[in-house]
Structures are given as structure tokens and as C-alpha cells.
Amino acid sequence: KEHRLLCKQYTKYYTEKLVSNSVPAYVVAKIEDIEDELDIFNITVCRQLAENMTRKQLKLKQQQEQESSWFGWTTGWIRGGNKEDPIDNIPSDDDIEAEKVKLYD
């Protein structure tokens, strides 16, 4: 039961880390504390879950913003179309491999 709670907390904090531009120090500290207790398999599974949840949330948010008003197409046209995609904040496979190496050291 405690293990599942740790996994849920880790997923929550890691999602918060992915979504926010500036990560608060307490979030980083909690992530590191939980990483000390979990094994690499569970960390990887929780991170993948958090990344998938983040992608889904961002897609839903973008769809809601576009559908929120009947002026949606005009505001998108006036603003110049699509801006930088926040999904790009999700770490690449190379970053993940680098973090795995750090965990083993």
C-alpha cells in the first residue's frame, strides 16, 4: 500500500515538473526523495505514465481553447497560428538515458 502511494506521489510530482516552466524546489526535493526509495523500473513506469497524462492534458486543453468561443478561428488567425508546442518540454530518450545513468551512480 505504501509502495503504491509512493508511485502515485512520484507520478503527481513528475507531472507537475513536466507542466510547469519553473519547478519549485520542494517538488525537486520530493522527486529525489521518492527516487531514493523506488527502483528504476517503477521510476520509469511512473515517468511514462506522467508523460502520457501530460500529453493528454495538453491536447485537451488546446482543444478546449480552440472550441471555447466561436471567434476561435479568428483569434488563431490574428495571433499568427500555432506557437511553440508545450509538449516539447517532455524529455527525450537521450535525456532519460542520461538520468538513468545518474541514478545508477
Side-chain angles (χ1 to χ4, degrees):
K1 189 172 182 177
E2 292 177 21
H3 178 74
R4 284 182 278 153
L5 181 62
L6 280 176
C7 288
K8 286 180 184 180
Q9 287 177 343
Y10 186 80
T11 303
K12 180 182 105 177
Y13 287 123
Y14 196 75
T15 303
E16 187 174 333
K17 178 182 175 184
L18 292 175
V19 171
S20 62
N21 292 333
S22 61
V23 182
Y26 77 91
V27 172
V28 175
K30 287 296 271 182
I31 288 173
E32 290 174 359
D33 289 342
I34 296 172
E35 282 177 351
D36 290 338
E37 295 182 34
L38 292 176
D39 61 344
I40 189 70
F41 177 77
N42 287 305
I43 291 171
T44 306
V45 169
C46 290
R47 285 184 180 187
Q48 289 175 350
L49 180 63
E51 290 168 2
N52 289 336
M53 287 177 17
T54 303
R55 283 189 187 107
K56 287 179 184 178
Q57 288 174 354
L58 290 174
K59 283 181 183 179
L60 285 175
K61 184 177 178 182
Q62 289 174 350
Q63 287 176 352
Q64 288 174 351
E65 287 176 357
Q66 290 174 352
E67 297 171 356
S68 63
S69 71
W70 57 281
F71 289 113
W73 66 274
T74 56
T75 56
W77 179 71
I78 292 171
R79 291 182 189 159
N82 293 335
K83 299 290 181 185
E84 182 180 321
D85 195 6
I87 294 176
D88 294 336
N89 294 338
I90 297 174
S92 66
D93 291 334
D94 296 333
D95 295 335
I96 292 172
E97 291 298 324
E99 289 183 18
K100 286 180 185 177
V101 170
K102 287 180 188 178
L103 285 174
Y104 283 120
D105 290 342

